[in-house]
């Protein structure tokens, strides 16, 4: 059974940074994407970014490029979301998720992700 556990959320001031982690276990295959999504109150869950195993290719939502980046520790099956220059509108619950055997055209498709973490709250406020 695939299990994803996020950590690293919290309260940060505008302009600050946070790094979220997603530790994955029970992975049945080596080809998958670890995606990051976020959901603010009253809004739909939206794609933030993703990183692929095994090749490490990364994808970032156009509106977040330049502030958010993804990385990974392959040996630990852990992905990271580095968020810089945070704004109040980045406040949301952030989720990591896994998509098996992805292709480029499905990376941003929320419905293609079959396992989800419990989410971690990120609050950007002074």
């Amino acid at each position: 059974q695939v299990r994803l556990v996020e950590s690293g959320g919290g309260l940060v001031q505008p302009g600050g940074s946070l790094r979220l982690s997603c530790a994955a276990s029970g992975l049945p295959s080596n080809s998958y994407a670890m995606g990051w999504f976020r959901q603010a109150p009253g809004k739909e869950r939206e794609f933030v970014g993703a990183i692929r195993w095994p090749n490490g290719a990364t994808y970032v939502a156009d509106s977040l490029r330049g502030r958010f980046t993804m990385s990974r520790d392959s040996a630990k099956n852990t992905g990271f979301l580095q968020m810089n220059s945070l704004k109040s509108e980045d406040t949301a619950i952030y989720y990591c998720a896994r998509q098996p055997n992805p292709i480029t055209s499905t990376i941003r498709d929320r419905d293609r992700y079959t396992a989800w973490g419990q989410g971690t709250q990120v609050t950007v406020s002074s």
Side-chain angles (χ1 to χ4, degrees):
Q1 183 177 358
V2 177
R3 185 165 181 254
L4 302 168
V5 180
E6 302 99 334
S7 60
L11 174 64
V12 62
Q13 292 187 343
S17 298
L18 275 178
R19 189 175 82 154
L20 305 184
S21 300
C22 177
S25 60
L27 298 169
S29 72
N30 189 45
S31 175
Y32 64 95
M34 179 180 285
W36 289 93
F37 293 78
R38 67 184 184 182
Q39 187 165 20
K43 295 188 177 181
E44 289 195 359
R45 194 171 297 188
E46 65 174 352
F47 175 79
V48 171
I51 186 165
R52 292 180 71 165
W53 261 261
N55 66 10
T58 60
Y59 308 79
V60 182
D62 291 343
S63 62
L64 302 175
R65 194 167 292 129
R67 295 195 300 124
F68 287 21
T69 57
M70 268 73 60
S71 61
R72 64 180 184 175
D73 182 337
S74 296
K76 296 182 179 179
N77 287 324
T78 298
F80 304 100
L81 174 64
Q82 178 68 43
M83 306 183 292
N84 298 327
S85 302
L86 284 163
K87 307 174 182 179
S88 58
E89 52 262 44
D90 295 318
T91 295
I93 299 174
Y94 284 71
Y95 299 88
C96 70
R98 176 185 176 271
Q99 179 182 151
N101 303 311
I103 57 177
T104 301
S105 62
T106 66
I107 288 292
R108 293 169 173 79
D109 186 346
R110 180 183 61 196
D111 294 336
R112 295 298 186 107
Y113 287 82
T114 58
W116 292 80
Q118 81 287 353
T120 186
Q121 177 71 48
V122 171
T123 302
V124 184
S125 175
S126 56

